[in-house]
Amino acid sequence: MIRNLLGSLVALAGAASAVLSPFRPWYDGRLGRDYRVRDLFEGITLTESGVLVSILLPFLAAAALVVLGAVLRSRLVTAFAGVVVLGFTVLWMVRQGQAAGSLAVSGDGSGLRVGVVNALAGGVLMLIGAALMRGRRSRGAGRGRRRDQPSGEPFAVPPADQVDTWPPTREPGMSVQTSPWPEPEVDPYTGPDPRAPGDPHPGDPGDPAAGEDPRDPVHPPHRPPPT
């Protein structure tokens, strides 16, 4: 959020500098708004230009793109606006150099002036603003997985000493099986007792295999002698 705000402010400052530049001298005292857009493609002439058909037109379009990019938090749109400003400024420099024979900076007011500096600085600030912006992120990008889990990849197998952890949170939980041996299977039979109704249960006092009768410790029952 902070990066998007900072990048938008830097890009908007660049857009303001670019829009202001045509109203300042560009070369030999001539304002940038006096150069027609068609002169950038056909060659620089001395013909005066209207404001809406001057070099101000692409700069206004770039400023509108910066505003749109700031609203949408789009780095691509903001960077494209900076490329437009730098592209038209460099194209003007090439055409002006062809018309004047060379480009020079002089202290007496001739040559390149402050308007060109404003345009170049505006384009650079737009690119810096686009680089500072973080862009938009999907709302559900981090749902259902850990923050450090790469998108679209399954959770890794937990280590041997942390087998009882849940992958999304890695929080320890209750062990399902604490013994290394397999769990005993439960007899699925739920019907009546297969033994005869009068047979003693194993371990009951009447069971001969149960040993001595705890109810008569003095005279325990004995097996009858074989016949």
Side-chain angles (χ1 to χ4, degrees):
M1 182 63 181
I2 297 178
R3 289 186 56 182
N4 286 331
L5 180 59
L6 180 60
S8 299
L9 292 177
V10 173
L12 289 174
S17 178
V19 172
L20 179 64
S21 64
F23 298 94
R24 310 193 72 177
W26 275 51
Y27 191 84
D28 200 13
R30 190 177 182 183
L31 299 180
R33 66 183 183 182
D34 294 335
Y35 294 95
R36 298 180 301 175
V37 175
R38 61 182 298 180
D39 290 346
L40 304 181
F41 301 94
E42 299 177 357
I44 300 296
T45 63
L46 298 178
T47 305
E48 297 294 332
S49 173
V51 175
L52 296 181
V53 294
S54 68
I55 198 173
L56 176 64
L57 181 61
F59 289 175
L60 287 176
L65 289 177
V66 170
V67 175
L68 180 62
V71 173
L72 300 179
R73 291 178 292 178
S74 175
R75 303 176 62 184
L76 182 61
V77 174
T78 306
F80 179 73
V83 172
V84 169
V85 173
L86 291 177
F88 274 91
T89 304
V90 172
L91 181 59
W92 174 87
M93 295 175 67
V94 172
R95 292 302 185 183
Q96 183 62 43
Q98 293 176 348
S102 63
L103 291 177
V105 179
S106 177
D108 58 358
S110 61
L112 295 175
R113 302 294 301 276
V114 66
V116 181
V117 177
N118 288 139
L120 293 176
V124 172
L125 287 177
M126 292 180 190
L127 295 179
I128 294 176
L132 291 176
M133 294 174 65
R134 192 172 185 177
R136 301 187 65 177
R137 299 183 63 184
S138 176
R139 294 182 179 180
R143 295 179 181 177
R145 65 174 185 272
R146 297 183 292 112
R147 294 181 179 180
D148 57 345
Q149 183 69 23
S151 174
E153 297 184 4
F155 291 97
V157 179
D161 57 344
Q162 298 179 1
V163 293
D164 300 325
T165 56
W166 184 246
T169 58
R170 294 295 179 183
E171 296 179 357
M174 296 181 61
S175 176
V176 178
Q177 181 179 354
T178 58
S179 174
W181 304 104
E183 294 183 350
E185 297 182 0
V186 181
D187 188 4
Y189 182 76
T190 58
D193 194 346
R195 294 171 297 184
D199 292 345
H201 293 268
D204 290 347
D207 186 10
E212 298 180 353
D213 188 355
R215 295 175 296 176
D216 190 5
V218 180
H219 302 287
H222 299 280
R223 293 180 180 274
T227 56

